[in-house]
Amino acid sequence: MTRAKRRSSRSKKGNQGGTQQNRPKAVATASPAKDKKTPTSPAPAAKPKGTEAKGAAPRATGSPKPATAKTADLGGAVRLPDAVAAPRHDHVTEDGIRVNYYVDGPEGGRPLVLIHAVNAAPSAYELKPLFEHYRATRRVYALDLPGFGFSERRDRVYSPQFYSGVIADFVRRAIGQPVDAIALSLGGEFTSGAALRHPDLFATLALISPTGFSKRNLPNGQGPVAKWLHKALSVPLWGGPLFNLLTVRPSIRYFMSKSFVGRVPDAYIEYAYATAHQPGAHHAPLYFLSGQLFTTAAAGELYGKLTQPVLVIRDQDPYVSFERLAELMADHRNWTEERVVPSRGLPHWEHLAETAAVLDRFWAAHGTQPAPEPEPAPEPAPEQAPEPAAVAEAPIEPTPADPERAS
């Protein structure tokens, strides 16, 4: 090959290479996942399967459609069953927060609302015995607070004001009439905050082993220390393993055994494990662990301002103390205390009949429902009347209507 031909050949190869470099790459449109989305046409965010109840409306309505599935795959490690065997609905607050709730029981009369506690693995399941007991006689609602159960678990700021607002919105817009409320542990602070916002919608409050009566004031939950602690706990390197450690079955059983006098029911452990292994399950508990969900000086800032009749049901609780309860009751005649013994924070699980009797007496005293009628005493057996002495009968004149005597 001559030099001219070699130069011509190299020139053709160079032109071909340049053409390939200038040609648009086909993979730019074939792999959109690798390209940056333009701000003018964002793709809709994919929702995990099962995060919304079947048939739920984007806003709460007067007749929401129930999610009838008994278990749901939320994309977690395990499927999450319903906390109670009852119709399940979604309520969307005015701020767009999706709240799951269960409802059952006859309408008419004052509704009952159940608010669970907050810990690493709470849900409406914590109040299951009371739901099942009262739904035979009255309308009962049980909420999964945001961050737990079937409610949304987005990565957002959780605070006492947030939860109080959600509860108040639910009662005002989903129920729309005064209710009796039962709240467990820290849920009592949230429910009291809601009752202060709308005192006309909360006729009575029953608080089971409520927080906020410790003699030692908690640090400011919205202060810099609590926020720093939350930031530290949110570091995936150790925050994730810490939450996982708290929510394995042995840990759940260890912590829950402190709240039971007897053995913790296996079903309780299994449900707590299931709800703690759903997508986003760690977001709200990290605010709890950092102390940001507690109200500083709750006895004065919350409880002391309530005007409704309030009942406290308690005994011993390894996680809660009640040093300030007697002082508050001495100054507020709308407060009543009843002890269900022996119990350690969950009397409705181990002494349901006694807990229900305490609640019934409280409600009867404040016009919710008639007092339970006492069992009627057995009637004494009737005495045998003595046989009358024989008396000579006067002769009876026969009549035509008495043919035997007429003959």
Side-chain angles (χ1 to χ4, degrees), residues 364-386:
H366 298 287
T368 300
Q369 58 189 31
E373 297 181 0
E375 293 289 333
E379 296 183 1
E383 297 181 0
Q384 294 290 336

Side-chain angles (χ1 to χ4, degrees), residues 83-96:
V84 293
R88 180 163 58 83
H89 306 275
D90 279 343
H91 168 74
V92 180
T93 70
E94 288 183 327
D95 295 330

